[in-house]
């Protein structure tokens, strides 16, 4: 048996450590326990800081005080239902889940894979992976095996197709041409964190749109180059074994008809939504506002818009296919999509209480204000700090695969801290997303890593964990370099992060004076 390289030994160590970690829900339970102890100690020591926005003194509060224990017990239902991402995600998934269960999303992906020109199959597969973010986990479950079949159909190594699709699906957390449910999830977590400093700040679903669209434009050519210059040559030519079918399933005439009707339904919804934002005094514009603020109702209404879009097109597809025959079928399918969200609801319960208790203890605000002063003293420019957040997030990917779990823990510190340095919550969130979208694809702790390995083994039975890691590491390294550079340049050039969202955040004069002191 050959001796393992230092890289393989390091990955083995990370896997052993990661296997010992509990479920993210219980990670939050341990963090909450530590938070309680820290709050008691900090309160006893009389730790306090001056709030640079209000000018008031913020003191550490014990979470075992009578007031906070009463709040924890009495407000427990409100703490869960008031958790901003919960409503955003459940509403969108109520529609997207139905569209997924009737087969509309699967059929749409299959059509796009099959019509792709052979010489452009790689960038199209990567782009589909980036777009698949809108269909929850459909990209992992459906696109990856279809990408393998599409590569095989044109005589290319199917494992290279699976690897390219995998890189695209994971990269979609940071690179996406259109906002969707993940934007609602992470920016929903950003909102309570930002309100530790600015109680008036509200999440903007399209607050990362320009940045994620630019990341998408960068990720496609980078992933294309990695696939055809590094990964595929290393895998070598592919010869189908007996019984392997080198093509994806064809779209049936009925599926084609159903997709056309779904597309028509989606177009009608889009036109109605646009009309409500464009006609004078429409319901999705603020006639009293000026500039980008005029369209604030439109941006805030996009969560409902995506819900209606997915629901309407899903019903059109399902009725044509004969899957939906009555109103009871619609309710049943929507109910099934909500049942699939049960693990997220459990995680949301833990995350909501962590964020709430962090707020009650005042430790988040204290850490943010003190941290902002330390960072300001280092003299590091804002682009360098944001690039550091990308690297920090990427390092944590090796231990915690869940993007929402990591951000729920990091946001209450990073978002207020960077607000006090003049960085917008949207830009901080964008930097976090960039870090989360690179290392995960090469980590054996990634929740879908085993499933991806199984897809690869359909084409090559001796393909193992090391083979998949070595296939994905070039993507991870290349996208990491591209992501860090993009984040730094974006901040340096002060480009808008999304509609109504800038890199810099304007603090009231009292805040600037307090920080300078």
């Amino acid at each position: 048996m050959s001796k393992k390289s230092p890289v393989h030994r390091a990955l083995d160590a990370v896997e052993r450590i990661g296997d010992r970690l509990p479920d993210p829900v219980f990670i939050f339970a341990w963090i909450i326990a530590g938070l309680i102890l820290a709050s008691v100690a900090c309160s006893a020591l009389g730790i306090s800081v001056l709030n640079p926005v209000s000018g008031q003194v913020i003191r550490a509060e014990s979470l075992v005080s009578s007031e906070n224990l009463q709040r924890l017990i009495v407000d427990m239902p409100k703490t869960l239902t008031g958790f901003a991402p919960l409503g955003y995600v459940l509403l969108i998934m109520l529609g997207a889940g139905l569209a997924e269960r009737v087969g509309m999303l699967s059929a749409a992906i299959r059509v796009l894979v099959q019509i792709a020109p052979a010489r452009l199959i790689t960038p199209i597969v990567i782009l589909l992976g980036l777009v698949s973010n809108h269909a929850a986990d459909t990209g992992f479950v459906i696109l990856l095996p279809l990408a393998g079949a599409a590569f095989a159909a044109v005589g290319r190594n199917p494992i290279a197709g699976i690897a390219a699709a995998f890189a695209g699906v994971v990269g979609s957390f940071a690179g996406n041409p259109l906002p969707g449910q993940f934007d609602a999830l992470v920016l929903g977590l950003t909102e309570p964190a930002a309100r530790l400093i600015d109680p008036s700040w509200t999440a903007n679903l399209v607050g990362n749109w320009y940045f994620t669209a630019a990341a998408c434009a960068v990720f496609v050519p980078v992933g294309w180059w990695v696939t055809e210059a590094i990964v595929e040559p290393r895998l070598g030519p592919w010869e189908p074994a007996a019984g392997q079918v080198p093509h994806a399933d064809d779209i049936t005439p009925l599926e084609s008809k159903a997709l056309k009707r779904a597309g028509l339904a989606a177009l009608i919804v889009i036109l109605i939504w646009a009309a409500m934002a464009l006609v004078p005094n429409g319901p999705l514009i603020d006639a009293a506002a000026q500039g980008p603020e005029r369209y604030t109702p439109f941006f805030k209404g996009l969560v409902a818009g995506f819900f209606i879009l997915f629901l309407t097109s899903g019903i059109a597809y399902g009725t044509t296919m004969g899957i939906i025959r009555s109103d009871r079928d619609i309710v049943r399918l929507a109910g099934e999509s909500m049942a699939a969200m049960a693990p997220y609801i459990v995680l949301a319960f833990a995350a909501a209480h962590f964020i709430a208790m962090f707020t009650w203890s005042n430790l988040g605000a204290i850490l943010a204000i003190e941290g902002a002063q330390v960072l300001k003293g280092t003299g590091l420019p804002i682009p360098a700090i944001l690039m550091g957040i990308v690297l920090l997030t990427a390092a944590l990917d090796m231990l915690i695969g869940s993007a929402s779990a990591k951000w729920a823990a990091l946001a209450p510190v990073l978002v207020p801290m960077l607000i006090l340095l003049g960085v917008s919550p949207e830009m901080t969130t964008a930097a976090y997303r960039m870090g989360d979208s690179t290392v995960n694809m090469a980590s054996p702790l990634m929740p879908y890593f085993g499933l991806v390995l199984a897809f690869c083994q359909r084409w090559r039975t001796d393909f193992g964990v090391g083979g998949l890691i070595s296939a994905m590491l070039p993507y991870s390294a290349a996208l990491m370099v591209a992501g860090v550079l993009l984040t730094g340049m974006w901040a340096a050039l002060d480009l808008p992060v999304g509609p109504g969202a800038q890199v810099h955040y304007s603090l009231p004069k009292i805040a600037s004076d307090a920080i300078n002191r």
Side-chain angles (χ1 to χ4, degrees), residues 341-361:
M341 296 301 296
Y344 171 74
I345 296 173
V346 176
L347 176 64
F349 175 84
H353 280 83
F354 165 72
I355 292 175
M357 295 172 73
F358 207 39
T359 303
W360 302 339
S361 71

Side-chain angles (χ1 to χ4, degrees), residues 35 58-59 61 63 68 71 192-193 195-196 352-365 412:
L35 174 63
I58 301 175
R59 293 182 174 84
E61 299 287 343
L63 289 173
N68 279 325
R71 188 183 333 191
R195 287 183 175 182
L196 291 171
H353 280 83
F354 165 72
I355 292 175
M357 295 172 73
F358 207 39
T359 303
W360 302 339
S361 71
N362 288 334
L363 293 183

Side-chain angles (χ1 to χ4, degrees), residues 150-201:
F151 267 57
V154 295
R156 296 175 61 181
N157 196 307
I159 294 178
I162 294 172
F166 189 26
V169 174
V170 178
S172 69
F173 298 142
N176 209 304
L178 294 170
Q181 60 157 341
F182 191 70
D183 295 81
L185 172 60
V186 293
L187 288 165
L189 288 167
T190 301
E191 182 173 280
R195 287 183 175 182
L196 291 171
I197 297 297
D198 183 357
S200 67
W201 194 86

